[in-house]
Amino acid sequence: MSMHISSCKLACMKPISCHEQEHPELAASTSNNGFDWLEDSISFLTEDVDIAGGYGWWSNPAEVQQDDIGSVVAQTLSPPAAPLPTTSSPLAHASPSIASPAVSSPSEPSSNKKRKSPANKASSHSGSNQHRRAEQDRPGGGGKKGGSKGGGAGSDRDMRWAEQLLNPCAAAVESGNLSRAQHLLYVLGELASFSGDANHRLAAHGLNALGRRLPAAVGPAAAASVRVPSCECPTPVFAGAEPRLFRASLIKFHEVSPWFALPNALANAAIGQAAARGAAEPRPLHVVDLGVSHGVQWPTLLESLTRLPGGRAPPSVRLTVAGPTATPPAPFSASPPGYDFSPHLLRYAKSINLQLAISRAGSLDSVHGFAAPGEALVVCLQFRLGHATADERADILNKVRGLNPELVVLSELDAGGDGTTAGEFTTRLELLWRFLESTSAAFKGRDGEERRLLEAEAGTSVAADAAGEGRDAWRERMAAAGFEEAAFGDEAVESAKSLLRKYDGGWEMSASGAAGPVALRWKGQPVSFCSLWRPACSG
């Protein structure tokens, strides 16, 4: 008995691809390929045959699938060994960031060793900076023991074949190498899928972003000569979701992942400290929300305010939700028409005997109209400025400084790029990989409406135009706007560590000394940071 894996390699190694979604007849032909009898024969084989030995090709199907994809990636990226003078190959220009070792034939059924995909050497300036920063931050992690921590940049890089195709394709697009771009786009179209593992999903989102980028990079006329596989995400983004599903997805995500939950918890702890600080008598609290929680963050804050020691609960709380800070809106910042968390939050506040008012401001300029003398004013800037332009960031921070708040909470993705279009694309891909991989772990690998909606929204970040910034750049930007950094209290940091233990062991956090941000990492690699700021003393 023999298996001709090479002849059906792309058809058998993954879920329905973007090519198959575009041409359903292809999916039908590959599903009826003569191997259906295998499913009916499994019980027979397991009774009478040592599968791991005599039928090694059937054991560990995930490893076989990874081996096959690794072979395809290696063959796609490797230049011809001896190109003929008269032959023009679209693969003649190999990506300088890819090392393609020899890959053994996938038709060896008895091999129990997993063949690795070609290593993707870190070539971008941002990647090396982020790796050094992760090593500096390593002491003081807060995740569960036993998780697959550390080495996120190297230990699993060989398995991340989607980036090994997407990054050279982005470089080819930006350099105008259309023949190479066309070939890589075709391979990506065969492998990309919104319903596979993290690699397949990353390939799908990246392919979608490259298709949108192509006309701007090479011009409409040249772009028209390139056939980009259709790979539109079948799940709507946040703004097009059904309101009940939208709310359920937000709540579920906070329950299973610290991506937003940890920065929200740190922000709430800092706001509670600000409310309890200062005057002899408790003061009204005013929170300006420029975040992405869509109300999910605030019930925990309201409940904690009622438990402030010494009767320090504020006599009233006002929540002002500010409008968009950038065009287009940052990922996770938009909400669908008809979604309104205010009634739920007001009912909850009433149930715990807390006076709450909720206002909506079209812009930061109109927030002044809601401010009142004697209140403790706190501004929450959470994951909204990272996708704004540099001028928009400076303008928004100057307006926040003009409000003269007692405290500013800044949470952002830790995503400094090298400034080039291809380099920024690489940085966004790395962050999206961490999102997709950690979300897969959070949902235990199970698919569902909530997970698909969250991933569809996260996938929009790959096509962003604004350059990312790491926390060091944000520190300089905040100082230029007239703020000085403040410290989280020990209690807030310990509470955050305790919260992190409920999530997957791949998560870690660290605090940067007496006055510095709290960093969140996935498998040792930076994801985001949360920091506190106060208006700098003049003179």
Side-chain angles (χ1 to χ4, degrees):
M1 183 184 299
S2 64
M3 281 287 292
H4 300 287
I5 296 178
S6 59
S7 64
C8 61
K9 191 179 299 180
L10 293 177
C12 299
M13 66 177 63
K14 58 160 203 53
I16 297 177
S17 70
C18 291
H19 274 168
E20 292 165 345
Q21 290 174 355
E22 185 180 7
H23 302 288
E25 67 276 7
L26 296 180
S29 64
T30 56
S31 63
N32 299 318
N33 55 14
F35 294 115
D36 294 340
W37 61 270
L38 286 174
E39 297 181 3
D40 298 329
S41 306
I42 294 175
S43 59
F44 167 76
L45 291 173
T46 54
E47 290 174 1
D48 299 320
V49 181
D50 180 3
I51 294 181
Y55 292 93
W57 54 268
W58 177 253
S59 63
N60 299 322
E63 294 189 7
V64 174
Q65 173 177 322
Q66 181 64 43
D67 291 346
D68 290 343
I69 295 177
S71 176
V72 170
V73 174
Q75 294 171 17
T76 300
L77 296 176
S78 297
L84 298 175
T86 58
T87 301
S88 176
S89 170
L91 303 181
H93 306 285
S95 170
S97 64
I98 298 294
S100 302
V103 179
S104 56
S105 171
S107 62
E108 298 174 3
S110 60
S111 174
N112 291 324
K113 293 183 180 180
K114 181 182 290 187
R115 293 181 296 274
K116 292 184 178 181
S117 303
N120 184 12
K121 296 180 180 179
S123 62
S124 70
H125 177 68
S126 61
S128 60
N129 282 346
Q130 290 184 0
H131 181 72
R132 285 197 300 270
R133 187 183 307 137
E135 293 301 320
Q136 294 169 357
D137 286 345
R138 186 161 301 283
K144 291 179 183 177
K145 293 182 180 180
S148 53
K149 293 181 185 179
S155 62
D156 67 343
R157 172 106 35 203
D158 291 353
M159 307 299 292
R160 289 157 54 176
W161 54 261
E163 291 168 87
Q164 300 178 47
L165 293 171
L166 288 166
N167 285 324
C169 189
V173 167
E174 296 305 321
S175 65
N177 189 344
L178 298 185
S179 60
R180 178 165 173 77
Q182 177 67 84
H183 184 75
L184 290 167
L185 287 170
Y186 175 80
V187 176
L188 283 165
E190 290 292 332
L191 297 175
S193 172
F194 290 103
S195 60
D197 64 13
N199 265 307
H200 294 298
R201 297 179 190 224
L202 183 67
H205 288 293
L207 176 58
N208 196 358
L210 288 173
R212 296 176 186 274
R213 170 63 186 165
L214 188 63
V218 302
S225 66
V226 179
R227 184 183 181 278
V228 181
S230 177
C231 203
E232 291 296 326
C233 183
T235 303
V237 295
F238 270 16
E242 194 274 325
R244 287 188 179 182
L245 174 61
F246 175 76
R247 183 171 182 269
S249 300
L250 292 174
I251 295 173
K252 180 67 174 179
F253 193 51
H254 278 69
E255 291 176 350
V256 301
S257 172
W259 192 279
F260 293 134
L262 188 80
N264 287 346
L266 287 164
N268 287 347
I271 294 170
Q273 293 172 1
R277 186 187 303 114
E281 295 295 326
R283 298 172 296 162
L285 174 64
H286 186 180
V287 179
V288 178
D289 178 12
L290 286 94
V292 295
S293 79
H294 302 282
V296 175
Q297 173 181 354
W298 305 124
T300 305
L301 172 65
L302 299 182
E303 194 271 336
S304 67
L305 292 175
T306 64
R307 294 186 288 103
L308 289 177
R312 301 293 298 177
S316 64
V317 178
R318 175 176 292 278
L319 177 64
T320 299
V321 182
T325 55
T327 304
F332 297 100
S333 65
S335 59
Y339 174 77
D340 184 9
F341 66 83
S342 299
H344 298 277
L345 199 58
L346 290 169
R347 283 196 299 269
Y348 178 73
K350 185 177 181 180
S351 71
I352 59 175
N353 298 316
L354 189 66
Q355 182 179 338
L356 173 68
I358 301 177
S359 308
R360 296 189 179 273
S363 66
L364 274 174
D365 295 323
S366 55
V367 171
H368 288 279
F370 299 106
E375 65 184 9
L377 179 61
V378 179
V379 178
C380 275
L381 285 167
Q382 304 215 104
F383 303 101
R384 290 276 288 273
L385 296 189
H387 290 266
T389 65
D391 290 341
E392 286 175 327
R393 293 170 191 171
D395 181 60
I396 291 166
L397 291 178
N398 287 333
K399 290 179 179 178
V400 170
R401 182 62 181 86
L403 294 173
N404 197 31
E406 290 193 13
L407 188 70
V408 175
V409 181
L410 175 68
S411 297
E412 274 300 339
L413 297 175
D414 198 354
D418 64 3
T420 67
T421 303
E424 295 294 334
F425 181 81
T426 296
T427 300
R428 292 193 292 270
L429 275 185
E430 290 179 353
L431 268 174
L432 182 57
W433 166 264
R434 290 164 206 160
F435 182 91
L436 294 173
E437 187 184 42
S438 64
T439 301
S440 178
F443 283 87
K444 311 297 184 185
R446 294 188 293 267
D447 214 345
E449 288 183 312
E450 293 94 347
R451 178 183 173 185
R452 288 194 293 269
L453 179 62
L454 292 162
E455 291 182 347
E457 183 70 13
T460 62
S461 64
V462 186
D465 293 326
E469 290 185 329
R471 53 180 145 154
D472 292 336
W474 281 107
R475 182 180 290 113
E476 295 176 3
R477 190 175 288 282
M478 292 296 289
F483 293 99
E484 58 185 12
E485 201 159 8
F488 289 96
D490 292 339
E491 183 178 350
V493 174
E494 290 304 316
S495 296
K497 288 183 178 180
S498 178
L499 173 66
L500 196 61
R501 293 188 188 102
K502 68 173 282 192
Y503 298 108
D504 184 272
W507 289 105
E508 307 169 37
M509 61 162 280
S510 65
S512 303
V518 174
L520 179 64
R521 300 189 303 274
W522 170 252
K523 292 187 176 180
Q525 296 306 298
V527 169
S528 65
F529 67 90
C530 183
S531 57
L532 295 183
W533 301 85
R534 302 184 189 280
C537 298
S538 58

